[in-house]
Amino acid sequence: MAQFALVIDLNTCVGCHACATNCKEWNTQASFGPLSDFDPYGREPEGVWYNRIMTYEMGEFPNTQVFHLPKSCLHCQDAPCVPVCPTGASYKREQDGIVLVNYDDCIGCKLCSWSCPYGCREFDEADKVMKKCTLCIDRIYDESLPPEQRKPACVLTCPARARFFGDIEDPNSEAYRMIKERNGFVLFPDMGTNPANHYLPRTETKIHIDEHLLRADNPLFLEVVRRHHVGL
Amino acid sequence: MHPPLSLIWFFLTAGTSIGLFTFTYFMEFLTLWGKNTALPKHMVVFSSLLSLVLIGLGAVGASFHLGHKLRAWKAIRRFRTSWLSREAVFSGAYGLSLLIFLALRYYDVTGFLYHAVGILTFLLGWLGAFSTAMIYASNKFVLEWNTSLTVLYFLDMYLMLGSSAFLAMTYHYDPRWVGTYVFLTFLFVTLGLFFRLAFNIRQAFLKRPTLNEALNLPHNRPIRVLDTGTTTTNYCTEEFYYRKGKELLPITIPIAYILTFVVPIFLLLYVWISGKNQYAFYAVTFASLLVGSLLERWSFFVEGNHVQNLFYGLYPEEGYKLRKGFMEWKKTKITYR
Ligand code: SF4
Ligand code: SF4
Ligand code: SF4
């Protein structure tokens, strides 16, 4: 059985939020939109997003690393959000494993969001239904698009090429290869959800900086000296 | 978790309804075994009618939890997998069966049919209650709820509400049974106290997942949330984390304990020992239980921590560090050689 998914490279993701923004842009105008915004010009603009980028810092100073974690619905293979839905509005497709919400059947009881350990579902207060990443199903099957465009909006837009899309059950797909070759992992494996989306781990890189780079006119270097002198 | 008032309302109304009907029918049921426990007709009719009104009000109130009330009927579709669906089916069937029971009693049809419908109503009511409790208990991602204690305790609270309501009612219509119901209410409330204590003590010993587990990263590396990728709160942080509620818990839990358990136990013991059998005691017992249960359910929701809060740094072991518009800045010293 096919299982479509995203594979995200944590090594190259720069946390630019382009994927989240383009996701919102595409899905607001496409079949699963709109993604409502509340108080968009106010002090606390709030809205529905399918994809959110979290930023974490790992390690103890000075050996710390910052990494960004884009998180949208992981299209779990044993999705706990599906069986709890009382109307069957939440369902997982046989043919490609994509988890979707039928807005016409959703009664807005929110139980699916209670049953997602990743926080990947959002309730749209304007439409009163539950919404979530559709894996851009309306792009990937759209035959009016040129084949290279039949990919999720977030994958197409990522400037760092950190996102890959494909069938993780098909050895010929890019997603499958990435997971195998680069040791892809999933979030919260203990939860028994078997997520389809994978992440590629960060690899350790050593950068050697030649001494001539520490020349006095390096603006960064000057900044360090200045901070040092004022005792910061 | 953010406490939904509509669900607390449903707990109180459905709980009183099912509990009250249980004892009303229980007395009728005993007559089948040749016991002289038949209640006056108007008491059975009044009590069943009250149960019916309460479950109706509960259903209307609970629908406010839904985004689309008019589609609520669709909730019966996934009976095979969803506890919410089962709750909807059983509670609806309970209401219908109760209506038939009431009609049978009203028209004095008290033979086989009457008892068959009575038993059916009883079963449907408790299946509904069990399904409601299972919605919480089966949620693996809120560890505080994910225990059989949640179910036992939930069902016992229905018995507490029901027996205390029945106690006040029987005082008016058939005082023979007051002693029995003073004892039963006392029993259920004491049991409830033990369940609640166990529920609270269990929370202290829960083995909670960490952010490292959530991110599937090595356990020995400290990880901090720097940015949650959102300028304000969002659906996930609002629904699954309720800061104001968390701050109020140290006040609401003790008050809930006092009103739900201490006051009723004290009053019932007082009646028992002093022999002062007065209606006011029973009315206050029920009222105190009702208000106490409201606070208790509210606290139950707020005490629940959803594991998805880990991603936002809002899970207990994180110490609830992240606040709206607040980010921790670490002073960094740069040493230059
Ligand atoms: S667009 Fe690419 S680099 Fe930017 S946040 Fe998304 S995944 Fe990361
Ligand atoms: S990530 Fe959440 S919403 Fe998506 S399939 Fe898994 S459990 Fe369901
Ligand atoms: S696959 Fe489509 S819907 Fe899902 S996060 Fe990417 S752009 Fe959004």
Side-chain angles (χ1 to χ4, degrees), chain A residues 6 19 22-23 27 50-51 72 133-136 152-155 163:
Chain A
L6 294 174
C19 53
N22 202 31
C23 167
N27 286 295
Y50 287 169
N51 188 11
S72 53
C133 158
T134 63
L135 217 53
C136 286
C154 55
V155 172
R163 303 174 76 96

Side-chain angles (χ1 to χ4, degrees), chain A residues 61-62 211-232, chain B residues 332-337:
Chain A
F61 180 81
E211 269 199 14
H212 70 267
L213 275 179
L214 293 177
R215 59 190 199 280
D217 55 349
N218 181 337
L220 287 174
F221 178 75
L222 281 177
E223 174 67 6
V224 172
V225 176
R226 194 183 59 78
R227 279 163 164 251
H228 177 66
H229 285 308
V230 295
L232 273 167
Chain B
T332 313
K333 266 204 170 145
I334 300 176
T335 36
Y336 173 73
R337 264 186 299 165

Side-chain angles (χ1 to χ4, degrees), chain A residues 8 12-20 53 70 154 157-160 162-163:
Chain A
I8 299 163
T12 41
C13 171
V14 291
C16 63
H17 293 245
C19 53
I53 324 295
C154 55
T157 199
C158 178
R163 303 174 76 96

